[in-house]
Amino acid sequence: MPRQISSRWTPVAKFFFPTLWLGGWGAATILMFVAPESVEWEGGGTPPAWAPLLFAGIWILAAAMMARFLLPLQRIRVSSTGLLVSNYFEERRIPWQALEAVELAPLIQFGRVPVARLRLSGQGSETRVLFLPADGDVMKTILRLAPPDVRARLSGVDDSHRLHN
């Protein structure tokens, strides 16, 4: 039976958070452009002329960052034959031999959980898979569940994989 190593919060980070945040911020931004008199600004009155442009810039930047770091998040399950990687619409099997490394991106976090990357070989254009780890030491979990030959190959990977809570 496959064991999930990605966080159960992955769908929230991938689908719900971007939808709610971008929808709410976008509605406020559009309202500032279309009907600025209906927006209460600090100290009363309408927003200054630069405010809608600033809000639009933040909206575009946030959308780009979410598209780059949250939308690609995958659900990862481990089986005896390899990794099961799902984007919630389709699932594909990655053999253990294709796993080159497990890396953390500590500057990219959802809440207090850093995004992790699986580096793969021979998988076409997708050589990195992003996911939110379910526990504090994703590499230890993968090493425990991987076959002995993969465990030996991956155990030499840099020890900076540990998540700190």
Side-chain angles (χ1 to χ4, degrees):
M1 178 173 191
R3 175 166 178 221
Q4 185 162 320
I5 63 169
S6 58
S7 173
R8 64 180 179 192
W9 289 97
T10 301
V12 173
K14 181 178 177 97
F15 299 113
F16 298 113
F17 176 72
T19 302
L20 292 175
W21 195 93
L22 292 172
W25 193 273
T29 301
I30 291 169
L31 194 60
M32 289 177 126
F33 278 107
V34 175
E37 67 280 351
S38 66
V39 177
E40 292 250 354
W41 196 253
E42 184 180 340
T46 60
W50 54 264
L53 297 174
L54 177 65
F55 271 57
I58 292 171
W59 189 25
I60 291 167
L61 180 63
M65 291 182 70
M66 288 180 198
R68 173 69 175 101
F69 299 114
L70 294 182
L71 295 180
L73 290 175
Q74 309 271 321
R75 180 181 65 198
I76 309 293
R77 296 183 305 146
V78 176
S79 74
S80 59
T81 59
L83 303 168
L84 301 169
V85 178
S86 169
N87 64 5
Y88 295 95
F89 300 107
E90 61 184 11
E91 185 171 74
R92 62 189 173 111
R93 185 174 300 276
I94 310 269
W96 281 112
Q97 289 68 28
L99 181 61
E100 288 183 355
V102 179
E103 307 162 332
L104 284 184
L107 297 178
I108 307 165
Q109 297 188 7
F110 184 76
R112 292 179 38 198
V113 179
V115 171
R117 291 183 291 242
L118 300 177
R119 197 172 62 220
L120 308 172
S121 65
Q123 296 299 310
S125 62
E126 192 170 346
T127 58
R128 292 178 189 259
V129 174
L130 296 179
F131 72 102
L132 289 176
D135 62 25
D137 196 344
V138 67
M139 187 64 175
K140 187 176 183 180
T141 302
I142 288 176
L143 287 174
R144 190 180 61 211
L145 299 170
D149 60 324
V150 175
R151 202 174 308 139
R153 184 170 39 88
L154 291 177
S155 61
V157 173
D158 178 20
D159 198 40
S160 63
H161 59 271
R162 181 151 181 84
L163 294 176
H164 301 284
N165 291 338

